[in-house]
Amino acid sequence: MKILVVGSGGREHTIIRKLKESPRVDKIYAAPGNGGISRDAECVSIGAMDKEGISDFALKNNIDIVFVAPDDPLAAGMVDALNEKGIRAFGPKANAAIIESSKVFSKNLMKKYGIPTADYEVFDDPSKVMEYIDSKNRYPVVIKADGLALGKGVIIALDRNEAQAAVKEIMEDKKFGDSGNNVVVEEFLTGPEVSVLAFTDGKVVKPMVSSKDHKRAYDNDEGLNTGGMGTISPNPYYTDEIAEICRKTIFEPTIAAMNSEGRPFKGCLYFGLMITPNGPKVIEYNARFGDPEAQVVLPRLKTDLVDIIEAVIDEKLGELDIEWSEDAAACVVMASGGYPLSYPKGLEISGLDDNGQVEGATVYHAGTKLENGKFYTNGGRVLGITASGKTLDEALAKAYSAVEKITFDGAHYRKDIGKTK
Ligand code: AMP
Ligand code: GLY
């Protein structure tokens, strides 16, 4: 088979390395890919949002399956466009990807179908937001831009000044563009967070092994929210008992709700959960694999990923048993100095071999380019260094010892992955 993976980050590199393990795969392309990905797939310079370009390439090259990995092209209808041309694609159509691309949609869905989530109100008028926040007068308060914002559109305001600044930034200064036309103001919840990715063909939902992301930029969960600075799998807070509650109250009801709305979801649905004192609640949905959750979940997958992709597309997931390794996995993200704010690009990375790897771990490339045989930084999150072990501590020790072999100017990474709630 020939498979084309759309995207250019660490998640896409992980997917590609997993696909490479399949005896059914002859050739993998990435559009557009990155420096590290070019060691595992043929990168073609077509942008991830270029529906025409991707469809044309797929037709001309007899691509069997297009795997659409990032949120933006899914929300923009990449899968719809491919299907219209008769191309098989993995990922939800736009009318289902909205579960991620509009927080207003997902919050209203949860309310309508009784799926546990934080209490909230939606606003399109900045003055009304502050009126509401003042009437509640409870801090912290959570303020979220409605649309996609690279995981950065959520502000937890500790007092009135911070709330006012957040509302101004999102709704008036339009820091996230039209994503901030509407905001969701939410009750602040507490408890450990869990990411559960699930395969679904719109009929059945099969949760993958659990994971935990570390979203803040710095140790002890300080600093700004990022796309994710590191992950572990399994998540120690996700017990069998909690998993069963989630299946009954969140996973299955969500799939049913999307069907009732005439928006069947096919692909990978990501449940961002918080285990609150009142039980598990949904913090967010994503319409795709998490990044860097994929980096610790997919290495544990024992079943052929191509079999799963086909079962999802053909709506036969119920017939497939999906197997997972008992090993734990850990991923430490090395980021550019300054990320998630502005950061330099084009800095040489040392310590990687010709394939962009180091001994003892797998290096998933997120933001790198390859020039004359050398790797350079080319994004905020640069590398995700991942290792497996019989225990989480073993996986973490291996990942960190690999991290120490890699350097670039200004590199920063968290030293406490796997240690915080
Ligand atoms: P989101 O992009 O919705 O996942 O939010 C990013 C992060 O903000 C989450 O991973 C949580 O750590 C935090 N967060 C979001 N919503 C809430 C909430 N209602 N209460 C507490 N923390 C939240
Ligand atoms: N790591 C969080 C996300 O992919 O949204």
Side-chain angles (χ1 to χ4, degrees), residues 385-408:
I385 292 87
T386 302
S388 298
K390 290 276 162 252
T391 62
L392 183 58
D393 282 343
E394 190 187 322
L396 283 163
K398 281 193 203 166
Y400 275 112
S401 85
V403 165
E404 279 160 21
K405 297 177 187 151
I406 306 169
T407 49
F408 53 89

Side-chain angles (χ1 to χ4, degrees), residues 11 213 215 227-228 270 284 286 288-293 381:
R11 165 186 51 211
D213 189 11
K215 288 204 169 116
Y270 168 132
E284 65 163 349
N286 291 322
R288 50 167 176 85
F289 276 89
D291 186 345
E293 283 89 342
R381 292 187 292 176

Side-chain angles (χ1 to χ4, degrees), residues 217-269:
Y218 303 115
D219 285 10
N220 303 315
D221 288 333
E222 285 170 13
L224 293 172
N225 260 324
T226 68
M229 292 297 292
T231 36
I232 54 170
S233 176
N235 184 317
Y237 296 98
Y238 194 68
T239 59
D240 289 347
E241 191 192 347
I242 301 266
E244 182 55 17
I245 297 172
C246 291
R247 185 182 65 77
K248 274 200 222 139
T249 65
I250 297 173
F251 305 154
E252 289 175 357
T254 300
I255 300 305
M258 291 299 278
N259 283 327
S260 300
E261 294 294 305
R263 299 169 182 273
F265 189 104
K266 290 170 71 170
C268 170
L269 183 53

Side-chain angles (χ1 to χ4, degrees), residues 44-94:
V44 292
S45 60
I46 305 172
M49 290 296 282
D50 183 353
K51 291 187 238 179
E52 283 267 320
I54 301 274
S55 306
D56 288 350
F57 181 87
L59 286 175
K60 275 197 200 114
N61 293 278
N62 298 314
I63 300 293
D64 296 289
I65 292 166
V66 179
F67 191 122
V68 185
D71 45 358
D72 287 316
L74 289 167
M78 177 74 76
V79 170
D80 309 57
L82 290 163
N83 288 351
E84 274 158 30
K85 300 225 162 120
I87 304 160
R88 281 155 70 77
F90 180 85
K93 293 186 177 181

Side-chain angles (χ1 to χ4, degrees), residues 191-217:
E193 287 184 57
V194 182
S195 304
V196 179
L197 316 179
F199 291 110
T200 172
D201 59 357
K203 294 179 173 162
V204 298
V205 54
K206 300 219 167 179
M208 304 182 212
V209 287
S210 64
S211 57
K212 168 164 179 45
D213 189 11
H214 298 69
K215 288 204 169 116
R216 299 292 189 124

